[in-house]
Every structure is written in structure tokens, then in C-alpha cells.
Amino acid sequence: MHPDDRGVPAEVQLRLRVNGVLRELWLDPRVTLLDALRERLGLTGAKKGCDQGACGACTVLADGRRVLSCLMLAVTCEGRDITTIEGLGQDGGLHPVQRAFIACDAFQCGFCTPGQILSAVALLAEGRAGPDDQVREFMSGNICRCGAYPNIVAAIRMAAGDPGRAPF
Amino acid sequence: MHPFEYIRATDVRQAVATAAAGPAAAFLAGGTTQVDLMKDGVLAPQVLIDITRLPLRGVTAGGGVLRVGALTTMEELAADPVVAQRLPVVRESLLLAASPQLRNMATVAGNLLQRTRCRYYRDLSCACNKRAPGSGCGALDGHHRMHAILGTSEHCIATHASDLAVALVALDAVVHVHGAGGERAVPLTGFYRTPGEDPSVENALEPGELITSVEVPLLPEGARSGYLKVRDRASYEFALASAAVALVITDGVTRDARVALGGLATVPWRSRAAEEVLRGAPVTPEACAAAAEAALSGASPRSGNAFKVKLGKRTVARALSLVAGLPG
Amino acid sequence: MTTATETARLVGADVDRVDGPSKVTGAARYPADFGFEKLAHAVLVQSTVAAGRIRRIATAAAEAAPGVLTVITHRNAPRLARAPGGLGIGPPAPLQDDRVVHHGQYIAVVVAQTLEQAVAAARLVEADYETVEPLLDLDDPRAERVDNAAGRDVSRGDVAAGLAAAEVIVAATYTTPVQTNNPLGLFATIASWDGDLLTVHDSTQGPAFARTALAVAFGLPETSVRVLAPFVGGAFGAGLRTWPHVVLAALAARVVGRPVKLVLSRAQMFTSVGYRPPTVQHLKVGARRTGELVAIDHQGIEPTAVEDDYAESLTRATAVLYDCPNLSGRTRQVRLNVACPTWMRGPGEAPGVFALECALDELACELGLDPIELRLRNYAEVHPQTGRPWSSKALRACYEEGAERFGWARRTPEPRSMSNGPFLVGYGMASAYYGYVQAPCQARASLGLDGVAVVRSAATDIGPGTYTVMTQVAADALGLPLERVRFELGDSTMPPAPLQGGSGLTAALSSAVHTACRELLRVFVDLAASSPASPLYGCGAQDVTAAGGRISPVQASGPLPGETYTDILARHELAELSADGASARRRDLDAEPGIFAAKFAEVEVDPDLGLVRVRRFVAAVDGGRILNPKTAASQIIGGTAGGIGMALLEQAVSDPRTGRIANATFGDYLVAVNADVPDIDVIFVGEPDPMNPIGVKGIGEVAIVGVAPAIANAVFHATGQRIRSLPITVEQLL
């Protein structure tokens, strides 16, 4: 597919599996995965906090691993399984991490929250919910300007099945 | 972002041939450098070759060497059991870098080829000899707290930001490169170019060449190694100063030493001078301090980063002390 | 707050946030999340010089670029009026002439069909400038100085005489850098016109104020403008003004005849929505050898923009925190070619108290006195400036309970006397204060046949938990369970509310909500009481209690069954009843309000590498009545995290000749990450305050005040090095 005479990039066809559903899109190759999710698929849970990989608000799961959707071109995600916050609930209810975030008040304005939750889900799957310092370190790729960090750690502890550390 | 033609590569030869054939082309792997700089307008390839489906992933060990596919992610390499057991300096350099999300995206080769974080390089409104040769260097009398004190020239003082490269340079890794003219192997210690007269040339790659794998000689059994990264905040920040260190010690004497510095130089900085000081000498705090002095010799700081001379020395000394298991 | 007939069940309880489910599922919609048919995208072009004129601006290439709908510059922009600043006059209207007054000033807006097209086209706009030497330094002799611009300079007694008579004097200069609010939510505006009716989704902290600003900018009646902000991704003060990009988004939508979305870049968040101005503060503190303060002279200097009047006093807390007979507190503004500063969490007090509390720590050291003892010896039992009693003040309890929780008694006073392995350990403390603010506020409560009460006010919830605590207040006032109350905010058509800033919202809004709900109850009771068929026949509002959704007459032997709100509506064949409530600051109390806290930090310092880490923190806060301890603790925790950044990490730096912010990214400007923040212990002390019927004092600002000096004082205790310049960096300690 070549750009036309005016340099307009032709759109590229993309088949993207998002939250288990296969979506077909024609996209400007410049569109990031983040903007494809938000602007084209109406999945606005992933947030644009910096658009340059420095804050984590755009965190989604790709094939189960946490990644930054603002630095991924959507067209490169052909064949990959993308999970956004909208795809996290279980059987119409909340995922244990979502429930723990509410119980532990692990958010304030809520903007970083979808990214924090997906990052936490991945952290648990990575087996990194060990001592607090390990959780803090491996959640440091998600900035929270409201400063809810201690409660985020408590929520992860709770979701990991350690009720003794919940602050309330 | 400037418009570009998107091509998905199917095999290495085709990728390299495509890159060599047409207008300004770039490879796209993890994208953490490439996409970032294209958004800023710093890089504007006309053709973007997505190499992520090439079979260049995976880690194998044999014959005293670790072979790492170029597209292996940072997290994958850090999780490798041979790396954990035999090359702690590599594992630590990976896990202290970036964030888990970035480490799931960024590839080993991409990490070695990452571009500087310098805010004069990354801002099109600023003078930058690396981005626009001859335009000047805004960092020289601007803000250069994070900039280099080693390997600089009057044209560029930008720091090389990779932690992994520092570890691999200490270990004498070799990059395997595939180009239009065939394959070649380049020792990493000879791969990077200091800015000199033309900061736009950063390494030994010819246009259109692709790194396909990296070979890392394993440290001998019983060697100790580690990576110390000093930065302002506790995580998710590039180094103010870092040191990759590997030591073989028997009977309290250093038989072999590897020392490389990060956060301080325009390229990953191997310090054979520091290694000389250590080799054959008893392992003592004095030896560590003397090696650190040697490592920073020739440093040319500017007013905003002069503190890095002292910090760099203390970082090297501390790294040596920690890896050697010295008390205190 | 509670009368004999009202029970506090939910107020004071750890209720989970009612907007929790929408936030954790991604359903909550922030300004950039709203979809519109035929939405176009706007991107801004900024100046690359700090002062001068645009000599030439070339837009032809941008206009011809794919997908571009329009390019607006000063050459073709219509007349716009200056939008009022919310507080202060605000920045000038954008694109009205060729003048450039700061680096990063907007010089064009490009609108295209897609975001990618708009970004690419914006890069094609070229400008040449005729520059003049910009005013960038506080010391520049050419810059205009403005004294007492905030009108809060204060003095009492004779500070010169006091200092002359002092037995001990500490004199020092403290500096704080530019720090930026940098909420995680990029400020975004979506504007759409329907004829002359403008609707805007925006990252504002005051929808009613944004409505006024836009109405003025476009010369419209206020009824023609509607501003919506049900969720905002943080603001910390940056949303207290309607900035030029909001006006430009509306302008772009008008020009292209389609809805336009404009999302600021992270770099623009450093230049274009305000920031905490840098300060230079000279403190002279005089005391007797026994520790009694005799004189404090506190002078602060900070920049403001050449075309704005933003001013914050750095000495308000100095004037009221201690019983000191001779005092002078002055703040001077210097007009520079910089972007407009604005409020950033704890404005005035956060930097001002840093200087004061570090100076007092130096004094304590000089006198050989425990730092808390020094504060106690100068405790202001009454307001030191007016002599009136405090409406409530539990600062003593803050010191005592905070010290106890922290283990302050373990502190050995000598610097470098405590350690943990190779690390030096330091304990530091500071007092904190923020002024009480209460502006007029209104709310409306309605209850319909579904039995759900809906209470509305044009407030915002930028993170403190406004949705939740107002639901609690309303539920208690109406005797309804939480799930049958809904609080709505974020719409300028709702009853007016103050800006969510200065800790002024919760007191005002909770009072208005309470009043509206009690009025609604009275309306129901009066209606029910008129009918013999009602169990409330003949009752007055004082004769009933409301609980569990039922209104019941109270008798000596206990309440009778009564009836539900919906029973009353059904009997009278009504779909809904409503009532309004209002609140305003009471002027009849001969007392001074204030919000107080004591902060305690433990740091570990690696003396060799100059690294500081905060290991423990205790905040003891007197915030009056705490509506929800869970969300209130989160406020304090969040402010502490912000204070850690303020003390150790955050500084925006600019190039000397151009004023360009040289570290305008989240990777270069360092905010605290998870690994920087330890567990933070929060204690609430004190009692409900009589300034408002709910007893709330507001804690959002005091949350950050005192954190930086507690840390700086701890660093001194650990190392013996007194760092008077924030942030405390490696190079200052090496």
C-alpha cells in the first residue's frame, strides 16, 4: 500500500482482537493502539496521560502482558489479543482487583485507575505480589499524581489474598 | 507524525533488501524509541518496516555463550534462568530499567540502539548537531544535568541512556548484523561511536543493516557481578550514574575484573583503566576507590553536571564494594 | 449538625466511593472521552521565543495538508474578549494580536478531520519573530515589581525593634523552584455549537466559572453556554482558570461548524495551564534564649506574567501560626515574560510554610530545644493578628498525637546520631496551616416516585470524593439508605457552587446540601401533615425523624412507623418534590477559623551517594468534622506524596535565553512514583467547627503543607546539612 501522490498514507487493514471480540478496521498507519481503542472503538477506559510512554495511563494487556498502548502503532497489533479495562470484569461482575481497589480506596480522580488495575492484574500474574517494596517497584511504571500509591499497594495485597494489610 | 508507508517484513533478507532499496526507511521493533521519536518529528522515515514477526526471538546457551535473538524482549531476557544464574549484571541492568510495560515491548537490539533522552535532541525548536549537523548544541549552555562527562566533544554531550548496553559492553558482547552485503559480527565495545566531529553517527551500522542477535560470553562459574543504578527517584528514571561490574576473586585477590559506566558518557563506557587497577590486587575499599578514580579520569564536566564526577566515582566504588561483598 | 431528629449514620463512616464502580471499570467519562458525530481535532502551535512580535506566520502549507479544515492565527481570528480568570483577570484573549509575551504562547490552532492529520499539519506552520530581550530573571532590573499584590501583606508590632532586642536571631534565605500541577489527565476541551448555544466538556474545577469565562470571551449571555465536567482527571489548581486553549477549542468549533476536540500535550501542561511560581524567601526570626519568639520578618519574592495579575501571599501562615508580637510578612511579584503561574496545591502556604518551618527548625537547633517544644512554647491560643479566639484549633493535639504515633521520643537530637546500617536516619517535623475559605453555594434536592433522592450542584469532583461525601450528607439528612441517594455535579446548569479549590468546596457544599435536604424533608412533612390520612397529620418538621426511607413522628416512647416519601407523593398525586438550599460564610461568629496539622517525616540518607528516601510519614490533621475517614485519609496521603515530590524531586527548569521549559515531560520532570512513597499514617484530631452547620474545615490544601519542611528538617537531622533550596537533590548533599 503506497501513499498517494499527495503523500496521504493509504489506510491499512487491521484485524484486532479486543476483549475477545475480533474487530476489523481500516486505519491510518500512524494511529497508535491507544487512539484506535479510544477514537475508533469507543473504548475510552485506556487514557492518554502523556502520549510518550512516561506515565502508564495507557496500559493495556497484549497477549496477557502489560504494555503501553501509546507507543504501539495499531497496525502492528494484527493477530494480538488486546485486553482493556472494559474487558476485565468477570461474569458481569467486578474482577477481584477492581473490588480491592474500591475497598482500599486505591484511586482519587480515577484517571490513572484503568492503567493501574491492568498493571496490577499483570503483576499478580507475573508472581510479583511479594513484599511491599517489590509491589511498589513493579507498579512504578504507573504514575498516580493524586498520590494513591499506599492504597494501591494495599489493594494489590488484598487481591493477592492477604487481608491483613488492608488499611480499613 | 509524518506519513509513511507501512510494510510488514516476512524474513530477514527481505527486510534488509527493502531497507536498502528505497527512500529513507527504518525498522520498527518494540517501538519504544521509534514511535516516540516519530511522534516528536525527530525521526521521519518514509517507509517503516515492521520486523516484529521475524524469527529473531529467544535465548539459548551453549559453549560458554548466551545467544540472544534481537527481538527478545527485555522482560524475557531478564527472566531467563541462565541470565539469572550466570549474569546477574545483565538481569539487574534490565530490571532497573524503564518499567514493566516498557520491558514487555522493548527488544534487546532496540535497547542497544535507543537514542539519547537529551531534550535539545528531542525538541525540533532547539539547536542539535546530532539531529541537524552543524546547527549547534543547545545543551552546552542550557540544562545538562543529565548529560555526559565522558566521551564528549564540543559538538555534543548527550548521554547514552541504555543500561543493558553498559552491562553487555562490560561482558564483551558481540552483535550479529545482517546487511545488504551479508552478515558480520561486531564487538559491542567497538560498536558505538562517540560524537566527535559528527554526533549524528552513533554506531557502526551501515544504513539498512539489521541486528539479528547478540552473543554474550558467560562469566566463569564463581564470578560475581552486579549493576548499580543511581537516580533521583526510586524507580522509572534514567541513571544519573551507573556501573556494571564483574569480578573473579580468589583468596581475596581480584583475578579478573570488568567495569563499565552508564549515565556518564556519550556511549556505554568500558573502563579498562579501572580493570587494570583491580587486576591482581587484593580486594579492599582502597582498591575500589582507586579503580573508581581511574574510571572517571579524563572526565570533562560542565557547570551543571560537575557533581557527576564525584557521584560517578562513588557509584563505581560502591558497585565494586557491593559485588565484592565488602562490609559497610 | 444533627438535630434531635436527625441521626448521623453515614456521615463519619468509611463509605466506599459511590463513583468507584464507574472508575474501576473505565465507564467514568473524562472530558476527552466523549464522542461526537463529525468530531474534528484541534492542535495548537506555540511560540518558540519569549518576547517580541510575530513578524511572519506562514500557514499555506498547513492549510493545504490532508484533512485540514482551518488554520486560525492572529491574522484571521475574530475579536474575543478577555475571559475572566476565575480568580484574577486571567491571561489575555488568545490570537488577538502579533505580540508574544512568553515562550509557548499559542500562535495558531490547526483543525483537521483526524488527530494525526492535525498534528502533522501543525508542524508545517512556520513563524518568524522580531524578538526583544525577554525578562526571565527575578533579578532583572528592567522588570516591574509589584508589592502586596495579593493584598495580604501583614504586620504587627515593630519587627525592627523586635529583632534588635532578640537574644538569638536566625536569618536565612530559602528557595523553591517552578513546580507544575501536572495532573495525569491532560486538559481537554470538546466544544460544540448549536446555533449560538455553546456546550463544552472541559477539565475545569468550576463549571459555572468556565461558563462565565466563555460567555464573556464570545460576548454571549451566560444562558447560551453550558459547561460539563462530571469527571476530571485531577487538576490541583490548574483548572481554577479558564485557559486560552478552552477559548480556542470553542473558537475552532465555531469556525469549522463541527464539534472540536482539543487535548493539550503533556509539554503544554507545563506552559499553558499555570504552575507554582518559584520563590525566594528571606526569613529573619528573633527569639529569647528560652524559645519565645519576639520577631519574624518574612519576605517573599516570586514572578508573575507580564499580562496577568496572579498573586499569592507567601506569608499568611507566618502571620497566624505562632504567638509572636512583632511580625512583618511581605510578598513581592516581579513581572516576567513567563507563562501565567496559578494555584498549585497549597498555594502560598506550601512554599511559605516550607521557609518558615525550616527557619524554626534552625532556631530550635540554635537554642538546643526540641522542635516540637519550640512550637508549643509559641502556641497561639488566640489568633495572633486579631486577638479573637479560634473557632476550633486542635494543633496541640496534632503535635502530641502525631509525635506519639510517630515515635518522636526515640529521636536523639544530635545530627548524624541515628542510623540504620549504612544509612543515616533523620526525624523531622513541621507545623501546617491553611486558611478557611467559604464562598456562597447552592444545591437542589429532589425526590420522585422511584424513591431516589437526587441532589445537584454545579461543583466538581477532581478526586477528593465529593460525589461520595455529599451522598452521605444527603442520605443522613433525608434518612435514606445510601443506594437511594444520588448526588450529581459537574454541570453549569445546576445550582451554582464555588470553585473546587482552596479547600473551600466541602464546607460550602455540604452545608448547602444539608440545608436543601432538610428543606425537602420539611416540604414532605408539611404536605403530609395537611392530610388526615397520613400518620404525620398535624406534625411539624421538628416532630419527626427520618430513617430507613420512612418519616415517622417521634414520641416519648419512640418513633411510630410513619410513612415513606413515595407514600406521600402518591397520596397527593405528585411525581416529584424539590427544595433548594444555600450556604454562605457566617459573619456572626466572633472567632477565626483555620485548618491545622503537624507533619512528621523519617528519612534515610545514603551519605556517600547523596540519596534521600522517605521511610515513614505521619500526618496529624485538625480538619474539623471528617465526613468520610477513608476518603479524607486518601486526601492526606495524596498531599503527602505531592509533598515528597515537592521536597525531593520536582523542578521545572528553563533555558536561560528563550525561557523554554527544558524538562517538559514526565520522564524529565520527576513526580513521585510508587516506590518513592512509604506507608503514610494519618490521624484526625479535633472536633466539628462551628463555622458551618456540618462542622467541616476542608483538608485538600493542608494535605501538602508542611510536608516539604518536615522532610528537609529530617534531612538536616540525618546529615547535619541544612538544605534551603528545593528540591533536595543529590548534588546538594554530595
Side-chain angles (χ1 to χ4, degrees):
Chain A
M1 306 261 174
H2 298 275
D4 69 13
D5 294 344
R6 288 186 304 135
V8 178
E11 295 186 324
V12 173
Q13 188 182 31
L14 170 67
R15 277 182 309 270
L16 198 60
R17 186 176 298 279
V18 182
N19 299 330
V21 177
L22 195 61
R23 312 291 294 260
E24 225 174 79
L25 294 170
W26 284 85
L27 276 183
D28 182 331
R30 297 175 291 182
V31 175
T32 60
L33 176 62
L34 176 64
D35 284 326
L37 292 169
R38 291 176 52 77
E39 306 289 329
R40 297 293 298 271
L41 298 178
L43 295 167
T44 56
K47 305 299 184 201
K48 185 174 291 185
C50 72
D51 212 24
Q52 55 192 173
C55 76
C58 68
T59 301
V60 298
L61 304 181
D63 304 320
R65 282 186 278 270
R66 41 180 164 163
V67 293
L68 298 180
S69 59
C70 75
L71 289 183
M72 295 164 74
L73 296 178
V75 294
T76 63
C77 297
E78 176 88 27
R80 298 192 78 174
D81 248 307
I82 307 296
T83 307
T84 70
I85 190 70
E86 292 90 346
L88 197 61
Q90 295 178 341
D91 307 318
L94 295 176
H95 188 283
V97 172
Q98 289 170 315
R99 283 202 302 274
F101 266 59
I102 294 175
C104 295
D105 210 41
F107 52 88
Q108 294 176 33
C109 80
F111 194 83
C112 74
T113 305
Q116 299 278 0
I117 289 174
L118 287 168
S119 210
V121 168
L123 176 137
L124 288 162
E126 291 158 14
R128 282 168 166 158
D132 279 2
D133 278 352
Q134 183 187 36
V135 173
R136 289 188 184 111
E137 167 60 33
F138 286 97
M139 288 299 293
S140 282
N142 291 83
I143 290 179
C144 173
R145 192 55 166 149
C146 293
Y149 297 128
N151 290 355
I152 290 171
V153 173
I156 291 170
R157 288 247 88 77
M158 177 183 275
D162 177 4
R165 285 281 288 111
F168 294 100
Chain B
M1 208 186 286
H2 206 262
F4 55 87
E5 181 190 348
Y6 171 76
I7 294 175
R8 206 173 280 147
T10 49
D11 64 67
V12 172
R13 281 194 319 116
Q14 176 245 5
V16 167
T18 309
F27 296 119
L28 176 66
T32 56
T33 291
Q34 188 69 26
V35 174
D36 190 22
L37 291 176
M38 285 172 71
K39 286 200 217 186
D40 282 345
V42 174
L43 298 177
Q46 294 183 33
V47 177
L48 194 60
I49 305 167
D50 177 356
I51 58 169
T52 57
R53 317 302 158 120
L54 298 180
L56 299 176
R57 223 159 147 157
V59 183
T60 56
V65 164
L66 194 78
R67 269 171 216 86
V68 183
L71 294 177
T72 308
T73 68
M74 291 170 72
E75 277 282 308
E76 283 165 358
L77 186 58
D80 184 85
V82 175
V83 171
Q85 204 197 4
R86 300 288 297 275
L87 300 173
V89 62
V90 170
R91 182 163 184 277
E92 288 166 20
S93 76
L94 289 161
L95 292 179
L96 289 169
S99 71
Q101 292 95 310
L102 288 165
R103 295 196 296 265
N104 279 329
M105 301 155 73
T107 63
V108 166
N111 182 292
L112 299 183
L113 294 173
Q114 72 180 274
R115 315 303 292 272
T116 183
R117 311 307 302 182
C118 172
R119 294 301 307 160
Y120 300 88
Y121 168 70
R122 286 172 175 254
D123 186 330
L124 298 181
S125 74
C126 296
C128 173
N129 289 319
K130 183 183 286 289
R131 175 175 32 82
S135 64
C137 171
L140 288 174
D141 51 13
H143 283 279
H144 46 251
R145 178 176 186 262
M146 299 298 281
H147 286 62
I149 57 173
L150 292 165
T152 59
S153 78
E154 58 184 345
H155 304 293
C156 184
I157 57 169
T159 316
H160 196 279
S162 167
D163 295 297
L164 175 65
V166 174
L168 293 184
V169 138
L171 298 176
D172 283 326
V174 173
V175 288
H176 291 268
V177 173
H178 198 123
E183 300 183 51
R184 62 196 184 100
V186 184
L188 200 60
T189 48
F191 181 76
Y192 293 104
R193 299 274 179 275
T194 54
E197 291 299 306
D198 185 3
S200 69
V201 176
E202 296 190 342
N203 55 55
L205 288 181
E206 298 295 328
E209 281 193 314
L210 180 67
I211 295 177
T212 53
S213 67
V214 179
E215 266 187 19
V216 188
L218 294 178
L219 287 169
E221 299 267 10
R224 317 167 199 215
S225 71
Y227 188 77
L228 179 66
K229 185 171 182 180
V230 176
R231 43 192 170 172
D232 301 291
R233 67 184 179 191
S235 189
Y236 203 14
E237 188 192 350
F238 290 92
L240 285 174
S242 69
V245 159
L247 298 170
V248 177
I249 300 172
T250 55
D251 302 320
V253 174
T254 304
R255 307 298 168 188
D256 196 10
R258 308 294 184 87
V259 178
L261 314 183
L264 297 168
T266 55
V267 296
W269 195 260
R270 176 82 180 265
S271 178
R272 296 182 205 279
E275 295 166 11
E276 273 299 300
V277 168
L278 293 165
R279 224 172 259 120
V283 184
T284 62
E286 293 73 29
C288 296
E293 281 291 327
L296 270 295
S297 76
S300 72
R302 300 184 74 82
S303 59
N305 63 8
F307 73 97
K308 283 198 179 191
V309 179
K310 194 189 278 192
L311 183 67
K313 288 180 192 173
R314 293 187 182 183
T315 300
V316 173
R318 173 73 63 86
L320 287 168
S321 175
L322 283 170
V323 166
L326 292 178
Chain C
M1 171 191 101
T2 57
T3 64
T5 53
E6 182 184 329
T7 323
R9 295 169 299 113
L10 292 165
V11 166
D14 288 331
V15 173
D16 287 348
R17 285 185 203 239
V18 299
D19 52 341
S22 67
K23 284 175 175 170
V24 301
T25 58
R29 295 209 154 212
Y30 298 80
D33 296 340
F34 289 91
F36 282 78
E37 289 286 311
K38 297 168 75 60
L39 185 69
H41 297 261
V43 169
L44 296 161
V45 181
Q46 298 172 277
S47 76
T48 54
V49 303
R53 292 183 175 280
I54 302 167
R55 180 166 46 206
R56 176 192 76 105
I57 184 160
T59 59
E63 283 162 347
V68 171
L69 299 171
T70 191
V71 178
I72 310 171
T73 71
H74 70 282
R75 296 226 302 272
N76 60 356
R79 287 297 99 205
L80 296 167
R82 184 181 203 139
L87 293 162
I89 57 171
L95 304 185
Q96 298 297 287
D97 57 47
D98 61 0
R99 285 176 318 130
V100 174
V101 293
H102 71 86
H103 190 282
Q105 177 181 319
Y106 301 135
I107 60 172
V109 53
V110 175
V111 190
Q113 319 249 31
T114 74
L115 179 60
E116 294 75 24
Q117 290 168 335
V119 170
R123 269 209 191 106
L124 300 175
V125 175
E126 283 174 9
D128 292 332
Y129 306 90
E130 206 176 274
T131 57
V132 299
E133 184 76 31
L135 301 164
L136 294 173
D137 288 318
L138 280 179
D139 299 327
D140 194 320
R142 301 172 297 151
E144 181 192 348
R145 270 104 179 128
V146 182
D147 284 328
N148 196 17
R152 291 204 179 95
D153 280 2
V154 65
S155 65
R156 57 180 183 259
D158 180 341
V159 79
L163 286 170
E167 291 166 351
V168 175
I169 292 186
V170 162
T173 297
Y174 302 88
T175 64
T176 63
V178 171
Q179 292 179 333
T180 50
N181 311 52
N182 265 324
L184 209 66
L186 294 171
F187 272 20
T189 305
I190 304 185
S192 67
W193 293 84
D194 180 6
D196 273 340
L197 300 176
L198 171 64
T199 303
V200 165
H201 287 270
D202 188 45
S203 307
T204 179
Q205 288 172 256
F209 293 84
R211 173 194 59 205
T212 300
L214 287 166
V216 169
F218 290 96
L220 297 168
E222 286 199 5
T223 45
S224 297
V225 180
R226 186 176 184 190
V227 176
L228 300 166
F231 291 98
V232 176
F236 311 107
L240 292 172
R241 288 179 138 178
T242 301
W243 297 100
H245 71 272
V246 183
V247 174
L248 289 175
L251 176 62
R254 191 164 198 168
V255 168
V256 302
R258 289 162 60 162
V260 165
K261 175 150 114 176
L262 194 162
V263 180
L264 293 185
S265 67
R266 182 50 60 184
Q268 287 162 348
M269 294 294 284
F270 283 79
T271 57
S272 312
V273 294
Y275 56 92
R276 194 194 301 290
T279 73
V280 176
Q281 302 183 60
H282 305 294
L283 260 291
K284 283 195 199 111
V285 181
R288 297 200 192 93
R289 285 218 180 281
T290 38
E292 290 77 25
L293 294 169
V294 298
I296 303 178
D297 186 352
H298 185 173
Q299 283 184 68
I301 305 155
E302 61 188 18
T304 192
V306 291
E307 305 245 319
D308 184 31
D309 64 355
Y310 176 73
E312 59 185 69
S313 166
L314 295 166
T315 66
R316 268 189 311 193
T318 308
V320 307
L321 258 176
Y322 301 106
D323 179 22
C324 176
N326 304 293
L327 184 138
S328 167
R330 288 169 287 159
T331 306
R332 159 175 284 181
Q333 258 82 26
V334 179
R335 291 198 184 285
L336 299 179
N337 289 111
V338 292
C340 295
T342 198
W343 300 271
M344 178 177 170
R345 197 168 201 173
E349 269 71 320
V353 167
F354 164 70
L356 176 68
E357 291 296 301
C358 285
L360 286 182
D361 196 71
E362 298 202 45
L363 179 65
C365 225
E366 180 70 31
L367 297 174
L369 263 183
D370 176 87
I372 301 179
E373 183 57 34
L374 177 65
R375 281 20 178 236
L376 289 170
R377 287 195 188 176
N378 293 285
Y379 195 86
E381 299 290 352
V382 298
H383 193 283
Q385 197 70 14
T386 65
R388 290 156 103 197
W390 297 101
S391 59
S392 72
K393 180 178 182 180
L395 180 57
R396 203 176 256 116
C398 291
Y399 293 137
E400 286 164 0
E401 293 188 39
E404 166 81 32
R405 180 70 67 93
F406 184 79
W408 183 262
R410 291 195 296 269
R411 180 182 186 266
T412 51
E414 268 305 297
R416 301 180 83 92
S417 63
M418 297 177 72
S419 63
N420 176 17
F423 300 111
L424 295 172
V425 170
Y427 286 8
M429 63 78 59
S431 307
Y433 162 85
Y434 207 80
Y436 179 86
V437 164
Q438 186 182 349
C441 185
Q442 294 175 35
R444 187 170 178 82
S446 307
L447 202 153
L449 286 169
D450 60 358
V452 173
V454 181
V455 185
R456 297 179 171 94
S457 183
T460 54
D461 186 349
I462 57 170
T466 313
Y467 274 114
T468 305
V469 297
M470 298 310 154
T471 308
Q472 292 170 258
V473 168
D476 275 1
L478 291 169
L480 285 168
L482 200 72
E483 1 9 300
R484 292 225 253 113
V485 179
R486 191 168 72 243
F487 183 77
E488 294 181 350
L489 52 71
D491 185 335
S492 61
T493 62
M494 294 175 179
L499 293 163
Q500 183 161 39
S503 289
L505 183 63
T506 304
L509 183 58
S510 59
S511 302
V513 165
H514 184 255
T515 303
C517 290
R518 294 305 283 179
E519 179 61 18
L520 182 64
L521 175 60
R522 191 194 62 71
V523 165
F524 270 93
V525 170
D526 285 355
L527 185 62
S530 67
S531 167
S534 168
L536 303 176
Y537 179 55
C539 286
Q542 70 285 352
D543 305 318
V544 307
T545 185
R550 305 188 77 83
I551 310 171
S552 320
V554 180
Q555 294 182 232
S557 51
L560 298 173
E563 60 180 350
T564 67
Y565 289 95
T566 49
D567 288 339
I568 298 168
L569 288 173
R571 180 177 309 114
H572 294 269
E573 294 178 340
L574 290 170
E576 180 185 271
L577 281 171
S578 295
D580 295 321
S583 67
R585 184 175 173 139
R586 56 185 300 189
R587 302 287 171 191
D588 62 327
L589 206 57
D590 182 34
E592 301 281 357
I595 303 145
F596 299 93
K599 311 290 178 92
F600 300 83
E602 176 183 327
V603 303
E604 273 183 9
V605 180
D606 183 325
D608 213 31
L609 298 176
L611 296 172
V612 178
R613 300 286 180 248
V614 180
R615 284 289 170 239
R616 288 188 310 128
F617 201 93
V618 171
V621 179
D622 167 20
R625 181 186 301 274
I626 300 298
L627 297 174
N628 181 327
K630 189 192 288 208
T631 56
S634 290
Q635 277 281 72
I636 303 301
I637 288 169
T640 307
I644 291 173
M646 179 179 175
L648 301 177
L649 299 170
E650 297 184 39
Q651 57 176 335
V653 295
S654 52
D655 286 332
R657 272 183 299 283
T658 63
R660 179 193 81 118
I661 305 293
N663 60 343
T665 77
F666 267 141
D668 299 284
Y669 179 91
L670 305 172
V671 306
V673 293
N674 202 320
D676 290 309
V677 181
D679 281 342
I680 295 160
D681 212 341
V682 181
I683 310 171
F684 291 112
V685 302
E687 302 175 340
D689 189 289
M691 281 300 289
N692 58 74
I694 313 298
V696 161
K697 290 207 276 192
I699 57 171
E701 310 285 7
V702 87
I704 197 173
V705 179
V707 179
I711 292 173
N713 294 338
V715 170
F716 172 76
H717 181 238
T719 64
Q721 288 170 273
R722 181 72 66 183
I723 310 297
R724 302 188 180 97
S725 176
L726 294 183
I728 299 168
T729 51
V730 159
E731 53 264 49
Q732 294 199 76
L733 286 172
L734 276 180

